Amino acid sequence: MGGHGVETGDLPLLRAVLAPARRGRRSRGCDSSVHGGAGLRAWRAQRLRAAAAAGGAGGPRAAAGVLTEDSAAGKVKRKRAQTPLEKYYLKYLCVTDLSTQSWCEQQMVYGREVPQLQAPETVVLLNTGKSIHLARELEVHDVVKVHTTSQEDSWAIKILNLLSVIPVLQAGGCVRELPVFGVIEDVFLTGIIDELCYSAKGELELRELKTRGRPFMPSRAQKKKDYFQVCLYKYIFDAMVQGQLKPDVITSHIQLRPEQPLGSQIREHAQKVGFTVTCFGDLLELMYLNLTLSDLPSIDCLKIEYSHQESNTLLGTEVVRFEEEKVREKAQNYLAYWKGQREVQGVEIEEAWKCQSCSYSEICDWRKKRAEGPEQRSGPKKSK
């Protein structure tokens, strides 16, 4: 499924894995047809003008810093510039943030800054995909809404969702929408694994479903983005079951209070799945103990299934090879942007074809600079 996997607001979702499974037909989701032509072009033009007027046309840059005067010494100091993590007030990132960067980092930034420019057909495809994933999830367990009173309550729900599926995996069962958390390069990451199950050989297999609006397999470049996503899931999950996700890792990165009492509905649902807890720290300890003592194996196999949204036809399955060193190197490069260690980057000239279907091509600074050529970007050459 991908996506942020963060249930926010007053009524987050709790996966009631141990409740009776609700069986039903898979939802087709939203209507996948979108009207194009002059109306769509006018809509985009209007959105572009609005974004330009609001000053949202440019992506964030690794600023040189803001100058301030030291009144005591009469000196000018350079104030440290904000990193993208600080600019967007982010305490953590999602796996899909990084996998989207592997397609086009500049597009990912515009998607965060001016999401209203996203093409209507893209929104429809995303919403339809969400509906299909929810229908698949309801095939194995119920989803209930729970009232939360604090940030700790919201994270408690994620942890309860994780705790409730550990016995299912121990018993050799299949689970869907499994939350994962971890740290790479001192940045906290979260994600949601579509499905974990055991193969006929007894191997733990990750299956990621990708739904498509067109009835054929994606391009090689699109597959690379998906490959990286499932590899990150494995990297984080394996670290969790190896005991690397300690309670203080979560509280320090997300700035949560282990002593915070949990809401009544959180405690009630924890009781239903066999846990007696009073504060957030109790739940963190249970998570750590259950992960480290469960004897769950690392993920052995990574598979991506591509399906056509309208016909629900399986288009093909890709088996992904996991190379830990390459995954770590790519993650380090993408996280360098978020930590303010480099500026945002777009696609190289060899992949400029991606711009043809991009909702932000008309406002893209990276594209404009590339179109100018190397001489204009670096300035006029000096005569010898």
Side-chain angles (χ1 to χ4, degrees):
M1 176 177 178
H4 286 217
V6 179
E7 287 83 12
T8 57
D10 234 14
L11 295 171
L13 300 177
L14 181 72
R15 271 82 191 181
V17 176
L18 301 186
R22 181 188 306 163
R23 303 290 178 181
R25 288 176 291 181
R26 181 177 296 179
S27 169
R28 287 268 304 276
C30 305
D31 181 6
S32 60
S33 63
V34 176
H35 296 288
L40 178 57
R41 289 193 294 272
W43 179 88
R44 282 182 174 168
Q46 182 181 3
R47 289 289 190 176
L48 289 169
R49 287 193 295 270
R61 297 172 175 80
V66 178
L67 297 179
T68 58
E69 185 176 346
D70 185 346
S71 57
K75 298 179 180 179
V76 175
K77 290 185 176 181
R78 188 175 295 278
K79 185 179 179 181
R80 184 181 65 83
Q82 281 187 317
T83 68
L85 283 172
E86 295 167 338
K87 175 180 179 179
Y88 299 118
Y89 304 101
L90 298 175
K91 297 176 183 176
Y92 61 93
L93 293 173
C94 298
V95 167
T96 47
D97 288 323
L98 272 64
S99 63
T100 304
Q101 282 177 266
S102 68
W103 173 261
C104 177
E105 188 172 86
Q106 180 69 80
Q107 184 187 74
M108 181 274 300
V109 171
Y110 283 131
R112 185 175 290 275
E113 292 205 328
V114 282
Q116 68 273 20
L117 295 187
Q118 196 171 51
E121 58 266 35
T122 302
V123 176
V124 170
L125 285 172
L126 291 174
N127 288 337
T128 304
K130 290 177 183 178
S131 297
I132 293 172
H133 278 85
L134 178 58
R136 281 168 52 88
E137 181 180 3
L138 292 174
E139 292 174 358
V140 297
H141 58 241
D142 285 343
V143 175
V144 296
K145 291 184 177 181
V146 179
H147 178 71
T148 60
T149 58
S150 66
Q151 188 181 10
E152 285 75 13
D153 277 1
S154 296
W155 277 88
I157 287 177
K158 303 181 202 321
I159 294 171
L160 280 172
N161 287 336
L162 172 61
L163 286 171
S164 62
V165 301
I166 290 177
V168 181
L169 286 174
Q170 286 177 312
C174 174
V175 299
R176 289 177 179 163
E177 304 301 305
L178 170 71
V180 290
F181 325 110
V183 176
I184 302 179
E185 291 293 298
D186 202 35
V187 176
F188 198 84
L189 293 173
T190 72
I192 299 181
I193 294 175
D194 272 358
E195 182 176 316
L196 275 183
C197 59
Y198 291 93
S199 67
K201 297 180 181 179
E203 296 177 327
L204 187 57
E205 191 172 276
L206 181 152
R207 296 176 183 173
E208 175 77 9
L209 175 67
K210 295 294 183 185
T211 62
R212 294 183 53 75
R214 298 178 180 180
F216 48 79
M217 290 287 281
S219 66
R220 182 180 177 184
Q222 289 172 309
K223 288 180 182 179
K224 284 174 62 178
K225 174 177 70 73
D226 300 336
Y227 292 174
F228 182 55
Q229 180 180 343
V230 296
C231 285
L232 278 178
Y233 285 151
K234 171 176 165 57
Y235 187 96
I236 296 172
F237 178 87
D238 290 357
M240 287 170 57
V241 299
Q242 290 164 10
Q244 296 181 29
L245 186 63
K246 297 180 179 178
D248 63 319
V249 171
I250 294 181
T251 54
S252 61
H253 280 85
I254 315 299
Q255 298 173 17
L256 299 171
R257 301 160 294 178
E259 72 281 0
Q260 173 68 24
L262 295 171
S264 59
Q265 289 194 20
I266 301 294
R267 297 196 305 271
E268 178 185 336
H269 282 279
Q271 190 86 38
K272 287 181 180 178
V273 293
F275 302 115
T276 301
V277 292
T278 57
C279 65
F280 184 62
D282 294 342
L283 207 52
L284 288 173
E285 291 292 340
L286 281 170
M287 178 198 66
Y288 179 68
L289 290 173
N290 274 266
L291 284 172
T292 53
L293 301 178
S294 63
D295 290 328
L296 287 178
S298 298
I299 294 172
D300 299 300
C301 181
L302 301 172
K303 288 185 178 180
I304 304 175
E305 297 176 348
Y306 293 95
S307 174
H308 182 220
Q309 287 187 351
E310 186 174 357
S311 64
N312 195 28
T313 302
L314 180 64
L315 302 174
T317 301
E318 295 281 324
V319 177
V320 180
R321 182 182 177 185
F322 178 77
E323 298 178 87
E324 183 173 336
E325 188 61 33
K326 289 185 178 180
V327 172
R328 191 163 45 239
E329 287 177 1
K330 287 186 72 173
Q332 288 173 346
N333 176 48
Y334 297 141
L335 290 170
Y337 158 73
W338 291 104
K339 295 162 73 174
Q341 296 170 353
R342 63 170 177 81
E343 295 186 355
V344 63
Q345 297 174 350
V347 297
E348 295 301 329
I349 191 67
E350 296 81 7
E351 295 189 326
W353 55 268
K354 293 179 180 179
C355 303
Q356 297 174 6
S357 60
C358 180
S359 302
Y360 313 102
S361 59
E362 295 183 45
I363 64 169
C364 182
D365 285 343
W366 179 268
R367 188 179 181 221
K368 292 174 183 175
K369 290 176 182 177
R370 291 286 159 174
E372 290 173 356
E375 290 189 6
Q376 286 85 345
R377 291 199 301 271
S378 59
K381 293 182 179 180
K382 295 181 180 179
S383 58
K384 293 182 180 181

